Protein backbone atom coordinates (compact mmCIF):
# COMPACT_ATOMS: atom_id res chain seq x y z
CA UNK A 1 0.00 0.00 0.00
CA UNK A 2 1.17 3.51 -0.76
CA UNK A 3 0.57 6.68 1.26
CA UNK A 4 0.62 10.37 0.45
CA UNK A 5 2.49 12.37 3.08
CA UNK A 6 2.03 16.13 3.12
CA UNK A 7 4.26 18.38 5.19
CA UNK A 8 2.20 21.14 6.78
CA UNK A 9 3.11 24.79 7.27
CA UNK A 10 3.69 25.65 10.94
CA UNK A 11 1.74 28.90 10.71
CA UNK A 12 -1.46 28.12 8.83
CA UNK A 13 -1.41 24.34 8.42
CA UNK A 14 -1.48 24.42 4.63
CA UNK A 15 0.36 21.70 2.73
CA UNK A 16 3.80 22.88 1.61
CA UNK A 17 4.87 19.74 -0.21
CA UNK A 18 3.69 16.22 -0.84
CA UNK A 19 5.24 12.85 -1.57
CA UNK A 20 3.92 9.33 -2.14
CA UNK A 21 5.77 6.51 -0.37
CA UNK A 22 5.35 2.83 0.34
CA UNK A 23 4.16 1.66 3.75
CA UNK A 24 7.68 0.68 4.83
CA UNK A 25 8.85 4.31 4.51
CA UNK A 26 6.04 5.90 6.52
CA UNK A 27 7.51 5.03 9.95
CA UNK A 28 10.92 6.50 9.08
CA UNK A 29 9.38 9.74 7.78
CA UNK A 30 7.12 10.08 10.84
CA UNK A 31 10.07 9.58 13.20
CA UNK A 32 12.12 12.21 11.35
CA UNK A 33 9.23 14.69 11.47
CA UNK A 34 8.63 14.03 15.18
CA UNK A 35 12.30 14.65 15.95
CA UNK A 36 12.08 18.20 14.58
CA UNK A 37 8.45 18.93 15.51
CA UNK A 38 7.17 18.97 11.95
CA UNK A 39 3.48 18.40 11.28
CA UNK A 40 2.38 15.83 8.69
CA UNK A 41 -0.86 14.75 7.10
CA UNK A 42 -0.85 11.13 5.96
CA UNK A 43 -3.54 9.49 3.84
CA UNK A 44 -3.78 6.51 1.52
CA UNK A 45 -2.55 7.44 -1.94
CA UNK A 46 -4.99 7.59 -4.79
CA UNK A 47 -4.76 4.51 -6.97
CA UNK A 48 -5.73 4.50 -10.61
CA UNK A 49 -8.40 2.01 -11.67
CA UNK A 50 -7.06 -0.65 -13.99
Amino acid sequence: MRFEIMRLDDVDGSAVDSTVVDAASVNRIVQQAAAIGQRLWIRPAETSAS
Side-chain angles (χ1 to χ4, degrees):
M1 182 168 201
R2 297 179 64 75
F3 293 89
E4 180 179 18
I5 299 178
M6 290 172 271
R7 297 182 197 284
L8 303 178
D9 182 78
D10 289 338
V11 176
D12 65 6
S14 63
V16 293
D17 72 350
S18 172
T19 188
V20 176
V21 298
D22 60 6
S25 299
V26 172
N27 186 46
R28 176 183 51 82
I29 292 170
V30 168
Q31 287 182 8
Q32 289 173 345
I36 61 172
Q38 189 172 47
R39 298 186 318 167
L40 301 176
W41 179 19
I42 303 170
R43 65 182 180 180
E46 298 278 333
T47 56
S48 59
S50 300

